[in-house]
Amino acid sequence: IRSVESNSPAAAAGLRILDVVLAVNNQNVTSSDYRTTTQAIKNARDSGDFVDLLVIERRFYVPFKNKGVIFDPAYARTIQTPIAMPRE
C-alpha cells in the first residue's frame, strides 16, 4: 500500500501504508505488479459490490515470504467497513 485516503473505507478498516495486499476478492495478487493489483481493487470497487482485501503488515510478510510460507485466506480476519468514514 502506497497511500491510504483519509475518510475512506480503507482508513476505516485500519489499512496502513506499507501493508501488503495478498488477495483482492479472493483473487491472489501476491505475484502481481502494482498496476495489476490497483486495477483489481478499482474493478472490485466499481462493480458496486464489496471490496475484500487480504492484507498483511510488511514487517511480517517479508520474513514469511523469505521462508516460503504460503498465506491461506482461511486464517484471515475479516473486518467489515462502511462505504465512507462516519461523520463526527
Side-chain angles (χ1 to χ4, degrees):
I1 300 294
R2 293 184 181 173
S3 67
V4 178
E5 293 180 20
S6 59
N7 296 327
S8 69
L15 199 64
R16 294 180 291 196
I17 294 171
L18 296 182
D19 281 349
V20 177
V21 178
L22 303 174
V24 178
N25 287 359
N26 294 318
Q27 175 189 352
N28 186 331
V29 294
T30 56
S31 298
S32 300
D33 62 17
Y34 177 79
R35 194 168 113 189
T36 302
T37 301
T38 55
Q39 190 60 51
I41 294 169
K42 289 176 184 177
N43 291 345
R45 178 199 64 202
D46 294 345
S47 74
D49 203 359
F50 67 92
V51 177
D52 186 22
L53 300 178
L54 177 59
V55 178
I56 187 171
E57 290 181 42
R58 184 177 196 83
R59 66 185 174 124
F60 296 119
Y61 174 73
V62 172
F64 285 142
K65 182 180 177 187
N66 290 341
K67 291 181 181 181
V69 173
I70 297 172
F71 298 92
D72 186 342
Y75 297 107
R77 178 174 56 119
T78 300
I79 300 173
Q80 299 294 329
T81 62
I83 302 273
M85 293 285 283
R87 296 182 187 259
E88 295 184 66

